[in-house]
């Protein structure tokens, strides 16, 4: 199953807001509908957003306003704008050239995820590894296999995975809803933990490596990822556990010099004060909801891309 694809003249994607209860493929015919899918996280994950951006340019049919709206739909995730730019560079050549460019972005992502899985598995030492991860970095965050969870899948296929400890990932529970769903389908042993348990379990020596994805990597190696990643980096450093970022080269943004220049999206109060429509806090409760945090480069052991291993 592909998370996002071009099928019979439309973008077809898994509506991730409905998982794990049901797996529904949605057909998207307009840029407006695609922007809505991106903003409500029906499609999410940096590599998948890159593909969505490229395919969305095909749907835009040369409309500059539609392309600009698509490019700005998720400000922290650099892959979205990158994917838009990859396809938009061919607008003068006609729609078929734009589609061909978008499909290359899709195919390159599939190849990149497999390469990252192999490179990441080769980097880690040990035969029965206990891996901790946050948010969702599997095939649902890409087209197939994924980034950090793609490394997990490769380890599992090679018989080197003992267990995955997946953070639930509040407030939208991408770890609880999506990562566990993928691990079940993968047949990989795993347990779900509360976000705040991560650093404690690192301190207790129950983890061999932390693997995360990335939404934007600054030129100096500072990495923006799902909120909670920074706490894991601090815990991993204290425990002497490798903290590895897994992301394609397209997630590296040389135009952003450091993490302090990365725009962090605040997604508003509703995601904090309720879960899937059920209110948790009293009416009128205010909330602060940064969707990402930034891990400084000096806390990162390595950045694994589809082309290389970077030691920040």
């Amino acid at each position: 199953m592909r998370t996002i694809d071009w099928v019979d003249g439309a973008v077809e994607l898994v509506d991730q807001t409905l998982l794990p209860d049901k797996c529904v493929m949605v057909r998207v015919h307009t840029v407006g509908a695609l922007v809505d899918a991106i903003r409500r996280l029906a499609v999410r994950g940096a590599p998948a957003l890159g593909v969505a951006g490229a395919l969305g340019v095909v749907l835009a049919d040369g409309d500059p306003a539609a392309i600009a709206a698509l490019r700005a739909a998720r400000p922290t995730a650099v892959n979205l704008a990158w994917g838009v730019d990859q396809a938009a560079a061919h607008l003068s050549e006609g729609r078929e050239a734009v589609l061909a460019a978008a499909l290359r972005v899709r195919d390159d992502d599939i190849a990149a995820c497999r390469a990252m899985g192999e490179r990441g598995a080769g980097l880690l030492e040990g035969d029965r590894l206990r891996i901790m991860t946050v948010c969702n970095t599997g095939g649902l965050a890409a087209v197939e296999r994924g980034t950090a969870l793609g490394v997990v899948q490769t380890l599992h296929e090679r018989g080197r995975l003992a267990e995955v400890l997946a953070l639930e990932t509040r407030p939208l529970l991408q770890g609880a809803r999506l990562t566990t769903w993928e691990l079940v389908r993968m047949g990989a042993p795993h347990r779900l933990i509360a976000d705040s348990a991560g650093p404690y379990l690192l301190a207790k020596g129950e983890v061999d490596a932390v693997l995360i994805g990335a939404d934007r990597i600054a030129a100096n190696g500072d990495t923006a990822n799902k909120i909670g990643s920074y706490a894991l980096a601090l815990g991993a450093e204290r425990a002497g556990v490798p903290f590895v970022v897994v992301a394609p080269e397209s997630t590296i943004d040389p135009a952003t010099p450091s993490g302090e220049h990365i725009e962090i999206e605040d997604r508003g109060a509703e995601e904090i004060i309720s879960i899937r429509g059920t209110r948790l806090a009293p009416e009128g409760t205010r909330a602060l909801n940064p969707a990402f945090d930034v891990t400084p480069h000096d806390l990162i052991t390595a950045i694994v891309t589809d082309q290389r291993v970077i030691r920040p």
Side-chain angles (χ1 to χ4, degrees):
M1 181 190 72
R2 289 183 173 178
T3 297
I4 183 168
D5 207 351
W6 182 262
V7 180
D8 297 330
V11 177
E12 195 167 87
L13 55 88
V14 177
D15 187 342
Q16 298 185 41
T17 66
L18 302 177
L19 289 169
D21 301 323
K22 51 186 175 180
C23 183
V24 175
M25 302 298 295
V26 176
R27 287 182 59 78
V28 177
H29 298 272
T30 67
V31 172
L34 184 58
V35 168
D36 177 69
I38 291 169
R39 286 179 174 162
R40 66 185 181 86
L41 305 186
V43 58
R44 43 147 298 281
L49 289 176
V51 176
L55 294 176
V57 176
V58 184
L59 296 179
D61 204 20
D63 181 352
I67 293 171
L70 176 65
R71 197 177 190 279
R74 293 291 305 279
T76 304
V78 69
N79 291 69
L80 175 60
W82 173 86
V84 169
D85 293 346
Q86 292 295 303
H90 298 271
L91 285 169
S92 63
E93 303 166 38
R95 192 173 189 272
E96 289 304 312
V98 174
L99 176 58
L103 295 180
R104 282 196 297 273
V105 171
R106 177 202 64 189
D107 293 345
D108 288 349
D109 180 70
I110 294 170
C113 286
R114 186 165 291 278
M116 286 184 286
E118 294 176 356
R119 186 167 284 112
L123 176 71
L124 297 176
E125 298 179 355
D127 292 327
R128 299 292 295 164
L129 293 170
R130 301 163 299 171
I131 303 296
M132 181 174 285
T133 188
V134 62
C135 198
N136 172 258
T137 57
L140 290 171
V143 180
E144 298 175 357
R145 293 182 78 88
T147 56
L149 212 62
V151 175
V152 167
Q153 183 170 347
T154 301
L155 289 170
H156 178 55
E157 290 167 351
R158 295 179 180 179
R160 296 179 56 209
L161 179 70
E163 183 180 41
V164 178
L165 292 176
L167 271 66
E168 60 183 351
T169 319
R170 279 283 289 142
L172 290 178
L173 300 171
Q174 293 99 326
R177 294 189 304 106
L178 307 179
T179 295
T180 55
W181 185 77
E182 291 200 284
L183 290 168
V184 167
R185 288 167 58 91
M186 198 187 299
H190 63 278
R191 286 183 286 177
L192 183 67
I193 63 172
D195 290 2
S196 51
Y200 171 72
L201 293 172
L202 283 161
K204 293 285 287 182
E206 297 191 23
V207 181
D208 296 310
V210 178
L211 299 180
I212 70 164
D215 285 84
R216 187 183 297 256
I217 300 172
N220 71 339
D222 293 351
T223 295
N225 192 54
K226 180 55 58 182
I227 192 75
S229 301
Y230 180 41
L232 295 184
L234 292 170
E237 182 190 46
R238 182 65 179 265
V241 171
F243 184 89
V244 179
V245 175
V246 186
E249 287 281 328
S250 55
T251 306
I252 300 173
D253 182 13
T256 299
S258 66
E260 64 184 15
H261 297 90
I262 298 176
E263 178 182 355
I264 299 299
E265 177 184 358
D266 188 308
R267 292 186 53 83
E270 193 58 34
E271 294 176 353
I272 298 290
I273 63 177
S274 65
I275 293 182
R276 306 188 82 180
T278 300
R279 180 170 292 279
L280 303 176
E283 287 283 354
T285 299
R286 301 172 63 203
L288 181 63
N289 184 15
F292 306 94
D293 57 26
V294 176
T295 299
H297 64 275
D298 57 357
L299 294 178
I300 296 171
T301 306
I303 298 172
V304 174
T305 80
D306 49 306
Q307 298 179 26
R308 54 186 170 155
V309 175
I310 304 167
R311 305 279 185 174

